[in-house]
C-alpha cells in the first residue's frame, strides 16, 4: 500500500467568493496533488458521489470522509469510529472493498493525541491524521498545538494536520510524520496551486517499498 506525502482535505466554505471547489482541486491536481480527502459532509451523498467521480476523472485518488463513496480508494473516519462498525465485519484487508485499481482500501482515523493513534493501530487502521499540529484558523477549538514532539515513534503512518504550511511541512516529517494533510492553507489561498507546489517541494519523496 502506498500513501502519499500530501493529502488535501476539502472545505468549500473556506473558498474565496466566486471560486468553485472543483476548479480549485483541478488546479491543485495540475500542480502535482494526487490524493484528496473529500469532505463536504453537509451535501447529499449523491452530490458527494458525483463530485468524487469528477475528481477521479481528473486523475485524482479520492479518500471519502466518514462514509464510503463509489470508486474511492480510501475512507477516513472520525476519532470515535471503528473499522468494524464501518465495514460490518473484521478489519482484515481481505474483508475490505477494493478501489478502482483493485488496491486495498486505505482506512484512516482522525486523532487528537498519540494515544488516539495507538488505539487506531490496535483497531486495524492503516494510517492516522493527528491534529492540531500548529495553530489553525480552520478548527480553532481543537485544543493547543501538539507540535513536532507528538509525532515521534508512532505505530502508524500519521499525517500532521492543522496549521500546516509550506514553512513547517518538512519539520513535521522530520519529527516523524509520514506526511501532511492540509485544508485551510489551500482552500483559502489566492493561488492554491502554488501552495500545493510549495508543499510538494518542501516534502521529501515517499520511500519506495517492494
Amino acid at each position: 500500500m502506498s500513501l502519499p506525502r500530501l493529502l488535501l482535505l476539502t472545505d468549500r466554505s473556506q473558498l474565496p467568493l466566486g471560486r468553485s471547489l472543483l476548479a480549485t482541486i483541478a488546479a491543485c491536481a495540475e500542480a502535482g496533488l494526487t490524493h484528496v480527502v473529500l469532505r463536504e459532509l453537509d451535501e447529499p451523498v449523491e452530490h458527494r458521489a458525483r463530485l468524487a467521480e469528477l475528481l477521479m476523472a481528473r486523475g485524482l485518488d479520492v479518500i471519502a470522509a466518514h462514509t464510503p463513496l463509489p470508486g474511492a480508494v480510501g475512507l477516513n473516519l472520525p476519532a470515535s469510529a471503528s473499522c468494524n462498525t464501518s465495514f460490518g465485519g473484521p478489519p482484515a484487508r481481505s474483508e475490505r472493498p477494493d478501489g478502482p485499481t483493485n488496491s486495498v482500501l486505505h482506512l484512516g482515523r482522525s486523532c487528537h493525541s498519540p494515544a488516539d493513534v495507538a488505539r487506531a493501530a490496535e483497531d486495524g487502521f492503516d494510517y492516522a491524521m493527528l491534529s492540531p499540529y500548529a495553530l489553525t484558523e480552520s478548527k480553532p477549538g481543537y485544543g493547543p498545538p501538539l507540535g513536532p514532539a507528538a509525532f515521534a515513534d508512532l505505530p502508524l503512518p500519521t499525517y500532521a494536520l492543522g496549521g500546516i504550511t509550506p514553512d513547517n511541512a518538512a519539520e513535521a516529517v522530520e519529527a516523524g510524520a509520514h506526511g501532511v494533510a492540509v485544508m485551510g492553507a489551500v482552500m483559502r489561498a489566492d493561488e492554491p496551486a502554488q501552495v500545493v507546489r510549495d508543499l510538494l517541494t518542501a516534502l521529501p519523496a515517499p520511500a519506495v517499498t517492494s
Side-chain angles (χ1 to χ4, degrees):
M1 182 181 63
S2 176
L3 289 167
R5 290 294 192 191
L6 175 64
L7 296 178
L8 174 63
L9 283 69
T10 72
D11 183 358
R12 72 188 188 283
S13 71
Q14 297 193 54
L15 294 171
L17 187 64
R19 182 188 295 161
S20 76
L21 181 61
L22 186 60
T24 298
I25 302 175
C28 292
E30 291 179 3
L33 180 73
T34 60
H35 287 66
V36 59
V37 180
L38 182 56
R39 297 175 70 255
E40 312 315 311
L41 300 172
D42 61 315
E43 288 276 24
V45 65
E46 59 269 20
H47 291 182
R48 295 179 69 230
R50 176 56 179 160
L51 181 54
E53 181 182 349
L54 292 171
L55 295 175
M56 287 183 277
R58 285 163 170 78
L60 286 160
D61 286 330
V62 174
I63 296 173
H66 293 206
T67 55
L69 292 172
V73 301
L75 178 65
N76 196 82
L77 298 174
S80 59
S82 71
C83 296
N84 291 9
T85 56
S86 298
F87 289 103
R93 294 182 188 278
S94 61
E95 299 294 327
R96 301 183 194 169
D98 285 344
T101 58
N102 296 320
S103 60
V104 173
L105 191 77
H106 300 317
L107 187 60
R109 179 188 276 171
S110 296
C111 298
H112 301 293
S113 71
D116 287 348
V117 177
R119 282 190 289 271
E122 292 171 358
D123 289 345
F125 284 82
D126 300 314
Y127 74 91
M129 292 188 198
L130 181 56
S131 67
Y133 180 81
L135 290 174
T136 172
E137 293 182 39
S138 299
K139 294 187 175 182
Y142 273 74
L146 296 168
F151 291 81
D153 301 320
L154 295 175
L156 279 180
T158 300
Y159 288 88
L161 170 65
I164 293 294
T165 71
D167 294 329
N168 62 11
E171 172 193 69
V173 173
E174 290 169 2
H178 170 80
V180 297
V182 182
M183 184 167 61
V186 172
M187 293 288 110
R188 293 190 299 268
D190 292 334
E191 298 183 24
Q194 187 58 54
V195 176
V196 167
R197 290 189 193 97
D198 292 343
L199 284 163
L200 291 172
T201 298
L203 292 167
V208 177
T209 57
S210 58

